[in-house]
Amino acid sequence: MTPNHRCDAIVVGAGPAGVAAAITMAKGGLKVCLIERGRLPGAKNLFGGVLYPHALAEVIPDYAERHPPFERPVTEQGYWLLSPDSVVRIMHKSVHYKTAPTGAYTALRARFDAWFAEQAVQAGVLLITKTTVTEVVRDARGRALGVATDRPEGLVQAPILVIAEGVNNLLTQSLGLAKGDLPPRYVALSVKEVLALPAAEIEARFGLAGADEGVAIDIFGDATLGLPGTAFIYTDAKAISIGVGLLLEELIVHNLKPYEILARFKAHPVVRPYLAGATVLEYGAHLIPEQGYDRMPDLVGDGVLIAGDAAAMVDAVHREGSNLAMTAGRMAGETALEAHRRGDFSAAFLRAYRTKLEESFVLKDLKQYRRMTDFLDSTPHVIGTYVDFMNEAALRYFTAQGMPKREMEGEILGLLRGRRSFFGIAHDMMKLLRGLRG
Amino acid sequence: MTKRQRQPEPLDPKLKESLPQVNLDALIGAVRYEVDEDFAHLWIKDHEVCQGCPAKPCLAFCPAGVYHLDRAGQVMVSYQACLECGSCRVGCPFHNIGWALPRGGYGVAYKLG
Ligand SMILES: Cc1cc2nc3c(=O)[nH]c(=O)nc-3n(C[C@H](O)[C@H](O)[C@H](O)COP(=O)(O)OP(=O)(O)OC[C@H]3O[C@@H](n4cnc5c(N)ncnc54)[C@H](O)[C@@H]3O)c2cc1C
Ligand code: SF4
Ligand code: SF4
């Protein structure tokens, strides 16, 4: 990198948001510098995870011909409601997942992000890795002029900046766009292991016909000790991705070690057989911003656009984030192109970015689920209580014990009433419905 | 911002007892790092604040076990094992942890992620 490098646009962070922004702007003819602190794009990034190619197709229409490193198409997905000794499974498997264009793939981020950034390089983006942006440089009136990096004389200048720095949004905070740091009750800490297992073994254990089938399971209840959070099991090509995530506040309040919760989950009698003989290829941890629509940072400043996790664009209800990030990155890129055409980089003009997001699923979904975090936060017992109830109810339902069915139904209702008062149940349901309907 | 109403109910002690011991060193051994010997990107701002922190939650929630006590009961920071998740930055109740990004190219380097 030459000292005082100059370009038309700077992108900080080569995750899904940043790369999508960079490609969009490069295709529109801008000279783009994409700066990433990792030794390679993806080296810092980890997710469950499931990628949704609808967002990718909007950035790279012919992505399929470019052989993205997907692991498996998701042909079966759903939920496990786990009690300490049982599980109720709500899984959906359909041939539609195989006949229609694939809607979801499992992926590993170090591989995927490296591939995605390579597409940006092919589109003409200047990718600068191993470089940490330390500061946004601004003029006396607060307009962004460029960024300072930890490279010697590493100043890069551009009239517009897309900040896609992820959940640890130090730059966004330094610009005053995020009001302070995330409180621990609005952020989930996930730990994950990637476990090696031969493809044939994965297919036998999960009932998959071959490499063109895969499963994505989200697990509630005992996996997180009944505390607000989820666990996941996703099949990769030759590995299983497994992890647990809890609100950081729960870990703090109960003095819990996240990797112990994961180890306990792995040893659960329902889970263990799937993992037998699998060895740990990698371990990792990452935060998920779950503060929701009402506590998102401002998305624009003078000469600045914020995209992805840096602006808390995560739909925790559907474990979507990478697609929101890609879509927001693309829209930030489109807005930067318009700003260049108009020669106007003011926050007032850049507000068009927020309008685009409001018209898309990104802010529509976030708005719809705006109450979900508070729902879980104020009703922390719900998950454990109802998951355990479902398992006990299923046990009664499926056990023939010479009891008239009407009595059995009464017993099942009694099980629920024993755990929670009628008003408690009604209250929980009301809040859940409000949380889901927005 | 809605204020948290509830006092946390204590976790059933049986649940806590059901948590297995984990060989964290083996897990960390499966992670690739580019260790920066010249720059510690994490530090305790004031050790006296830690003395007055009764719960010391950083010792537990850090997924890499970066924080531990030395013989004198002082909080030690093994920044080399840090996974850069950010939990300690927001999770220390006294905001007593100095947290910077590692220098470019250094720190955790996932091969899979
Ligand atoms: C456990 C877990 C499971 C998840 N599961 C799913 C899932 O199944 N499906 C889904 O769609 N989403 C999932 N998500 C969410 C998804 O991973 C994120 O929403 C998405 O990665 C956000 O993309 P981003 O580009 O905004 O940020 P990131 O992917 O975090 O990228 C930010 C980039 O910026 C770089 N960077 C940061 N600061 C600087 C700096 N100062 N200088 C230079 N570079 C910098 C980082 O190194 C990084 O490469 C999951 C997340 C987690 C943690
Ligand atoms: S949580 Fe913060 S104040 Fe408490 S011991 Fe850890 S670093 Fe010190
Ligand atoms: S950033 Fe995460 S891994 Fe690193 S020390 Fe803090 S809590 Fe531990």
Side-chain angles (χ1 to χ4, degrees):
Chain A
M1 186 168 62
T2 52
N4 290 326
H5 207 95
R6 193 172 260 291
C7 45
D8 298 327
I10 297 168
V11 180
V12 183
V19 174
I23 292 177
T24 304
M25 292 188 287
K27 283 187 174 171
L30 298 188
K31 193 175 156 215
V32 182
C33 293
L34 171 58
I35 309 178
E36 166 58 45
R37 66 189 188 87
R39 52 185 292 278
L40 289 168
K44 303 293 182 185
N45 303 344
L46 168 159
F47 81 159
V50 177
L51 279 176
Y52 307 93
H54 72 88
L56 181 56
E58 304 250 20
V59 182
I60 310 177
D62 63 342
Y63 72 87
E65 283 105 77
R66 295 161 178 258
H67 306 293
F70 295 141
E71 294 293 319
R72 283 172 188 268
V74 177
T75 53
E76 179 176 350
Q77 51 190 322
Y79 304 113
W80 286 6
L81 310 180
L82 200 67
S83 80
D85 55 10
S86 327
V87 68
V88 172
R89 296 183 169 130
I90 308 170
M91 298 297 294
H92 182 238
K93 182 169 187 162
S94 167
V95 289
H96 284 280
Y97 288 126
K98 289 179 83 173
T99 50
T102 303
Y105 292 94
T106 56
L108 295 164
R109 288 288 299 283
R111 292 176 181 165
F112 177 80
D113 289 9
W115 170 86
F116 198 25
E118 174 56 30
Q119 309 312 305
V121 171
Q122 286 180 20
V125 170
L126 176 62
L127 172 66
I128 304 165
T129 56
K130 297 186 184 172
T131 303
T132 300
V133 171
T134 51
E135 194 191 337
V136 176
V137 182
R138 291 184 287 172
D139 69 10
R141 288 170 50 198
R143 290 176 301 200
L145 299 174
V147 297
T149 73
D150 64 353
R151 294 284 190 98
E153 299 179 76
L155 196 68
V156 188
Q157 285 178 288
I160 187 130
L161 193 60
V162 178
I163 299 187
E165 59 183 336
V167 61
N168 289 305
N169 58 355
L170 301 179
L171 299 172
T172 308
Q173 288 179 41
S174 77
L175 292 170
L177 297 177
K179 304 285 170 288
D181 226 328
L182 276 176
R185 66 174 170 282
Y186 293 135
V187 63
L189 169 58
S190 291
V191 290
K192 169 181 173 178
E193 292 175 18
V194 184
L195 306 173
L197 207 58
E201 205 48 54
I202 293 173
E203 286 149 20
R205 292 182 193 185
F206 288 89
L208 306 172
D212 59 344
E213 294 194 1
V215 55
I217 311 160
D218 292 306
I219 301 118
F220 300 92
D222 188 62
T224 55
L225 309 171
L227 297 169
T230 55
F232 59 84
I233 298 176
Y234 302 143
T235 55
D236 300 317
K238 293 178 198 160
I240 294 174
S241 284
I242 184 166
V244 298
L246 282 85
L247 289 181
L248 180 57
E249 174 144 297
E250 300 293 335
L251 298 172
I252 294 173
V253 165
H254 300 296
N255 206 28
L256 296 166
K257 296 180 172 155
Y259 40 89
E260 290 185 354
I261 302 174
L262 177 53
R264 180 179 176 279
F265 172 55
K266 286 171 65 186
H268 189 284
V270 169
V271 178
R272 196 173 46 211
Y274 290 95
L275 313 177
T279 51
V280 178
L281 285 175
E282 194 171 73
Y283 168 70
H286 207 282
L287 289 180
I288 306 177
E290 300 195 352
Q291 71 261 49
Y293 183 82
D294 295 305
R295 299 173 204 88
M296 290 174 76
D298 284 343
L299 302 181
V300 300
D302 282 320
V304 182
L305 299 155
I306 317 286
D309 275 12
M313 295 176 185
V314 169
D315 168 0
V317 178
H318 295 100
R319 56 135 154 79
E320 293 179 24
S322 62
N323 52 335
L324 280 73
M326 269 185 216
T327 304
R330 170 172 61 82
M331 291 177 168
E334 288 167 4
T335 309
L337 285 169
E338 286 153 22
H340 260 283
R341 281 196 283 273
R342 287 271 296 263
D344 184 353
F345 303 99
S346 67
F349 182 77
L350 297 179
R351 292 243 166 257
Y353 167 55
R354 171 141 193 138
T355 311
K356 282 184 210 281
L357 286 167
E358 267 162 5
E359 285 161 4
S360 77
F361 77 101
V362 175
L363 284 186
K364 282 193 178 144
D365 287 356
L366 287 173
K367 198 167 181 179
Q368 179 172 350
Y369 300 125
R370 68 203 295 178
R371 293 200 184 90
M372 277 314 274
T373 308
D374 284 330
F375 166 69
L376 289 177
D377 200 41
S378 62
T379 323
H381 58 82
V382 286
I383 302 174
T385 302
Y386 291 107
V387 167
D388 285 357
F389 161 70
M390 291 283 285
N391 278 278
E392 282 188 42
L395 189 60
R396 306 271 162 132
Y397 184 85
F398 290 119
T399 311
Q401 26 185 7
M403 178 197 279
K405 294 302 179 228
R406 176 82 19 102
E407 259 178 58
M408 182 265 293
E409 285 161 20
E411 260 197 17
I412 288 181
L413 274 180
L415 280 175
L416 183 57
R417 294 285 298 279
R419 291 172 184 276
R420 191 107 174 89
S421 75
F422 176 76
F423 286 109
I425 297 166
H427 187 71
D428 293 345
M429 290 304 146
M430 287 273 294
K431 280 177 88 170
L432 176 63
L433 280 178
R434 257 192 286 146
L436 286 173
R437 297 198 21 218
Chain B
M1 198 173 280
T2 47
K3 259 239 137 346
R4 164 164 292 231
Q5 304 286 314
R6 69 179 176 113
Q7 273 299 312
E9 286 172 38
L11 209 59
D12 184 343
K14 281 207 211 89
L15 274 179
K16 277 220 150 175
E17 282 159 28
S18 71
L19 289 165
Q21 286 263 330
V22 172
N23 180 351
L24 185 57
D25 290 340
L27 287 177
I28 294 297
V31 183
R32 173 172 174 173
Y33 294 94
E34 302 284 331
V35 175
D36 187 345
E37 299 294 357
D38 300 327
F39 173 59
H41 70 286
L42 307 166
W43 62 95
I44 299 291
K45 292 180 191 166
D46 181 352
H47 279 285
E48 260 175 46
V49 172
C50 294
Q51 299 285 322
C53 170
K56 298 198 181 10
C58 63
L59 305 182
F61 70 65
C62 169
V66 163
Y67 302 95
H68 47 100
L69 295 179
D70 70 5
R71 286 218 189 125
Q74 178 150 312
V75 177
M76 303 287 292
V77 187
S78 304
Y79 72 91
Q80 298 88 340
C82 174
L83 296 162
E84 297 160 38
C85 68
S87 299
C88 57
R89 202 189 76 242
V90 299
C92 166
F94 297 94
H95 300 284
N96 194 35
I97 292 171
W99 198 97
L101 292 173
R103 293 194 291 176
Y106 287 109
V108 70
Y110 291 126
K111 300 177 300 251
L112 303 168

